[in-house]
């Protein structure tokens, strides 16, 4: 994706390709990449707040919880901290 | 149990670990990231061939420190694990139990005689209209995505705030071909008097200052507008940032005129840093409010022991002072901890470590005085409609109404209990600063008088099931001290 507001890869050598699922859509990632970085580069939406307003990573260092999602069934997982792995299932159902 | 558990593998944690191991201590180091370095030296993943850490000029020592740390077989490391709290060990009067949590492996308990809090700092949060929109990120966040994840924003970027880190991030972005439209600083350009004072702090930091000058020259060449006395008053857009409002401010960062609009799809914020002190709070360490040094910081004695016996602190939680000072404090803490466990530490070693701290303090004190955030003015950027607590969706208006109807409330914890500011997943990290400033303004008192949020185990939220293992058997180091016998995958 190259639309304004999204993110693009800068280094071509990124580890082995893996595919994760974000809200049912396949997202390409690579080993070593965090789930949050993969989602940003794919233009995938993050979990909305409970008013329905869009949110996205703010700190990228595990403190703000804006990037949190349900990862392989575990609630409130900070996607900026976890490396993407083949078959990982990410869900952003919206916060309570 | 381990002699020493260190929370944080940044410059302070790494140097403390090596120093402690040199004095025969068994050491475990715990960090949420996948690799050593801390935020300032976040390394790209090992799987990214050809991508290595390039420390900012002046921090050439970082590469060697990380290499020594990673290669040291004496150290036990637990990467990808979050420290969620510390308990006293009932069975061992001198022992502490560190609860650590992993998103896939749950909770483990690690026993240690001493604890070192080396938890670093995070970007100072500032609430203003639109700061919850996608496209608004902190300078540290963008820096780590660009340097360690090798991705770059698409579309025009504006950087705003008050900290020189903005210049480094702008430079990184330009090198990746990102169109940087403007870098806006709330302060005036440093005065000749500031420059003279800075010169006195130069020895040892010359390369860093030279690099800053070179970056400014590159920004000017790329026709990046570098504004002073300018503050961001709003980010606009529906699903994503599309416009930024910038306004002129006076010497105390008060907005003086109507804002101008700049089209941009990314806004990078850098007002400075808040020390990460929640673990120290949970343990019960005494904290003091020191605005130029990062707000609430952990009190300590001359060997960096906190008010809680056996618990030490090093790096940014003692006061945000940069990587040089963090490294020096890590060394001193390592020595102090070794001495507290009865190891022979020569007086000369302490003297040398203290010299290292004094050398870096000369520089950091100047930086702190030039770049201290005007917290009151930043609190005023939040309008009635602005979300102050991002997690619990509490607006400035709700806070103002509560404070008006409850004239005897003068403490941020009382505000938290009534308004829910600080009760969400981030546990107040991103609203404490705003709530403190707003309360201080309403009560015409200093920010420190309003107190700070308390913190409890777990200091980062985990599923309830993960708390079952808090009464698990405490893990011990293997007899050779090099491994717990359990691999952290």
């Amino acid at each position: 994706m190259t639309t304004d507001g999204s993110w693009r890869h800068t280094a071509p050598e990124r580890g082995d390709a893996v595919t994760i699922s974000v809200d049912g859509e396949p997202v390409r990632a690579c080993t070593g990449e965090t789930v949050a970085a993969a989602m940003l580069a794919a233009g995938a939406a993050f979990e909305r707040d409970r008013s329905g307003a869009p949110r996205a990573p703010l700190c990228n260092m595990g403190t703000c919880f804006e990037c949190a999602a349900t990862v392989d069934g575990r609630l409130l997982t900070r996607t900026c901290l976890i490396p993407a792995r083949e078959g990982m299932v990410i869900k952003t159902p919206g916060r309570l | 149990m381990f002699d020493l558990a260190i929370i944080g593998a940044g410059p302070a944690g790494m140097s403390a670990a090596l120093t402690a191991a040199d004095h025969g201590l068994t050491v475990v180091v715990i960090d949420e990231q996948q690799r050593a370095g801390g935020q300032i030296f976040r390394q790209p993943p090992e799987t990214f061939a050809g991508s290595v850490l390039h420390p900012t000029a002046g921090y050439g020592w970082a590469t060697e420190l990380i290499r020594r740390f990673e290669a040291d077989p004496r150290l036990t490391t637990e990467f990808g694990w979050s420290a969620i709290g510390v308990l006293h060990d009932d069975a061992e009067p001198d022992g502490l139990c560190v609860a650590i949590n992993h998103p896939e492996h749950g909770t483990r308990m690690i026993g240690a005689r001493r604890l070192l809090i080396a938890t670093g700092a995070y970007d100072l949060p500032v609430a203003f209209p639109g700061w919850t929109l996608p496209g608004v990120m902190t300078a540290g966040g963008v820096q780590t995505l660009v340097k360690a994840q090798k991705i770059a924003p698409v579309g025009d970027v504006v950087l705003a705030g008050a900290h020189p880190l903005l210049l480094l991030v702008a430079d990184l972005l330009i090198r990746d071909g990102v169109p940087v439209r403007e870098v806006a600083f709330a302060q005036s350009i440093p005065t000749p008097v500031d420059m003279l004072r800075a010169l006195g702090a130069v020895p040892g930091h010359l390369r860093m200052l030279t690099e800053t000058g070179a970056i400014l020259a590159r920004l000017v060449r790329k026709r990046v507008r570098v504004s002073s006395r300018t503050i961001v008053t709003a980010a606009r857009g529906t699903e994503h940032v599309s416009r930024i409002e910038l306004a002129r401010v006076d010497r105390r960062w008060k907005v003086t005129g109507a804002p101008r609009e700049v089209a941009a799809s990314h806004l990078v914020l850098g007002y400075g840093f808040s020390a990460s002190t929640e673990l120290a709070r949970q343990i019960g360490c005494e904290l003091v409010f020191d605005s130029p040094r990062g707000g609430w910081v952990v009190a300590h004695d001359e060997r960096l022991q906190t008010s809680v016996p056996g618990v030490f602190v090093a790096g940014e939680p003692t006061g945000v002072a940069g990587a040089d000072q963090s490294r020096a404090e890590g060394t001193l803490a390592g020595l102090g901890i070794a001495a507290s466990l009865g190891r022979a530490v020569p007086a000369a070693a302490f003297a040398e470590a203290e010299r290292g701290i004094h050398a870096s303090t000369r520089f950091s004190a100047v930086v702190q005085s030039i770049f201290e955030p005007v917290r009151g003015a930043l609190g005023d950027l939040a309008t009635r409609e602005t979300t102050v607590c991002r997690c619990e969706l509490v607006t400035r208006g709700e806070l103002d109404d509560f404070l008006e109807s409850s004239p005897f409330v003068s403490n941020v914890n009382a505000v938290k209990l009534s308004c829910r500011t600080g009760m969400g997943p981030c546990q107040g990290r991103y609203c404490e600063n705003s709530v403190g400033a707003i309360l201080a303004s309403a009560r015409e008192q200093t920010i420190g008088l309003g107190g700070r949020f308390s913190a409890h185990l777990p200091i980062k939220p985990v599923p309830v099931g993960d708390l079952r293992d808090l009464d698990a058997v405490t893990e011990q180091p293997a007899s050779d001290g090099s491994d717990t016998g359990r691999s952290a995958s």
Side-chain angles (χ1 to χ4, degrees):
Chain A
M1 250 184 83
T2 52
T3 54
D4 283 0
S6 66
W7 292 69
R8 61 181 164 81
H9 293 164
T10 53
E13 293 175 326
R14 307 184 68 79
D16 300 333
V18 295
T19 303
I20 62 175
S21 157
V22 179
D23 293 327
E25 298 291 326
V27 165
R28 291 176 56 186
C30 60
T31 54
E33 212 168 54
T34 65
V35 169
M39 287 174 69
L40 284 171
F46 286 79
E47 196 151 281
R48 288 174 179 263
D49 69 27
R50 66 169 186 267
S51 77
R55 294 290 182 95
L58 174 70
C59 78
N60 194 43
M61 55 181 77
T63 55
C64 77
F65 283 78
E66 292 288 353
C67 71
T70 304
V71 177
D72 289 341
R74 188 189 195 262
L75 299 167
L76 214 59
T77 303
R78 289 165 283 170
T79 58
C80 73
L81 290 179
I82 53 164
R85 275 210 318 267
E86 180 63 38
M88 218 169 219
V89 177
I90 319 296
K91 289 184 175 152
T92 67
R95 299 173 201 173
L96 295 175
Chain B
M1 69 175 64
F2 286 92
D3 292 321
L4 171 62
I6 298 176
I7 315 302
M14 288 189 292
S15 61
L18 290 166
T19 304
D22 286 345
H23 287 81
L25 270 53
T26 54
V27 182
V28 57
V29 183
I30 296 137
D31 195 290
E32 290 187 319
Q33 297 294 332
Q34 301 297 319
R35 301 188 71 185
Q39 298 304 331
I40 184 162
F41 305 127
R42 269 265 285 274
Q43 301 187 77
E46 281 169 299
T47 49
F48 285 24
S51 294
V52 294
L53 175 76
H54 295 289
T56 306
Y59 293 130
W61 48 263
T63 304
E64 174 64 10
L65 178 61
I66 292 171
R67 192 199 61 75
R68 279 174 55 215
F69 178 85
E70 288 183 334
D72 198 318
R74 300 169 300 178
L75 305 174
T76 301
T77 55
E78 301 288 0
F79 286 106
W81 289 81
S82 307
I84 58 169
V86 175
L87 302 169
H88 282 279
D89 189 337
D90 294 337
E92 295 261 356
D94 194 28
L96 300 161
C97 291
V98 186
I100 64 173
N101 184 268
H102 187 283
E104 288 160 293
H105 308 306
T107 301
R108 289 160 54 198
M109 302 298 288
I110 292 185
R113 292 184 181 84
R114 298 287 183 271
L115 180 78
L116 177 65
I117 297 169
T119 44
Y122 59 99
D123 295 83
L124 174 71
V126 174
F128 63 94
W131 78 306
T132 59
L133 270 175
V136 178
M137 275 195 86
T138 63
V142 172
Q143 184 187 33
T144 49
L145 284 171
V146 170
K147 286 183 77 169
Q149 287 288 312
K150 304 291 174 190
I151 61 174
V154 177
D156 292 349
V157 177
V158 169
L159 300 95
H163 196 273
L165 175 63
L166 290 175
L167 290 174
L168 299 185
V169 176
D171 191 47
L172 277 177
L173 292 172
I174 284 171
R175 285 160 183 267
D176 273 338
V178 174
V180 174
R181 290 302 166 214
E182 183 160 349
V183 186
F185 286 95
Q187 334 48 359
S188 312
I189 296 297
T191 64
V193 176
D194 291 332
M195 296 294 208
L196 272 177
R197 286 168 62 205
L199 279 177
V202 159
H205 299 277
L206 193 56
R207 279 195 63 204
M208 210 181 310
L209 288 188
T210 314
E211 178 69 5
T212 309
I215 289 173
L216 268 171
R218 278 200 290 274
L219 294 179
V220 169
R221 263 205 313 278
K222 291 280 181 182
R223 297 172 194 276
V224 175
R225 181 170 175 177
V226 180
S227 319
S228 59
R229 293 264 197 101
T230 303
I231 215 161
V232 58
T233 52
R236 307 282 183 205
T238 48
E239 287 294 297
H240 199 278
V241 171
S242 59
R243 300 177 327 278
I244 314 289
E245 289 180 13
L246 297 168
R248 293 281 296 168
V249 292
D250 66 15
R251 280 184 184 283
R252 297 302 294 165
W253 300 8
K254 286 283 179 197
V255 174
T256 55
R260 62 186 161 88
E261 218 174 70
V262 180
S265 38
H266 297 270
L267 172 62
V268 182
L269 300 171
Y271 284 100
F273 298 92
S274 288
S276 289
T277 57
E278 46 282 331
L279 192 62
R281 297 178 191 211
Q282 182 266 323
I283 295 167
C285 303
E286 186 188 323
L287 272 70
V288 292
F289 188 79
D290 188 338
S291 177
R293 290 172 63 77
W296 289 100
V297 298
V298 183
H300 56 81
D301 68 15
E302 68 280 2
R303 288 191 180 173
L304 300 175
Q305 185 163 218
T306 70
S307 62
V308 176
V311 177
F312 290 69
V313 62
E316 311 295 32
T318 69
V320 177
D324 283 306
Q325 189 154 338
S326 293
R327 178 182 59 155
E329 288 183 0
T331 303
L332 179 63
L335 296 173
I337 291 164
S340 80
L341 286 168
R343 304 299 199 279
V345 179
F350 277 112
E352 193 187 333
E354 281 157 5
R355 269 198 303 278
I357 291 177
H358 292 151
S360 51
T361 304
R362 290 177 65 199
F363 181 72
S364 59
V366 172
V367 173
Q368 286 158 357
S369 72
I370 296 178
F371 296 102
E372 181 188 354
V374 183
R375 293 170 191 271
L378 294 179
D380 290 344
L381 293 175
T383 63
R384 274 191 70 80
E385 296 73 30
T386 303
T387 299
V388 171
C389 172
R390 301 171 65 103
C391 301
E392 292 294 303
L393 302 181
V394 184
T395 62
R396 167 81 191 255
E398 289 169 71
L399 285 178
D400 284 346
D401 292 347
F402 167 73
L403 290 172
E404 198 183 326
S405 67
S406 312
F408 299 109
V409 168
S410 60
N411 179 285
V412 292
N413 269 321
V415 177
K416 176 180 174 180
L417 289 173
S418 298
C419 300
R420 297 196 60 77
T421 45
M423 286 199 181
C426 93
Q427 302 189 340
R429 290 171 181 85
Y430 284 78
C431 70
E432 182 182 68
N433 183 64
S434 303
V435 173
I438 290 166
L439 175 68
S441 163
R443 296 295 179 256
E444 297 179 353
Q445 65 184 23
T446 59
I447 292 177
L449 271 183
R452 56 180 176 79
F453 291 155
S454 48
H456 303 283
L457 188 154
I459 60 164
K460 296 200 171 155
V462 298
V464 175
D466 281 7
L467 297 176
R468 275 192 310 251
D469 295 324
L470 287 178
D471 59 2
V473 176
T474 304
E475 289 174 32
Q476 314 296 327
S479 54
D480 65 357
S482 65
D483 194 357
T484 55
R486 174 182 170 148
S487 67
S489 50

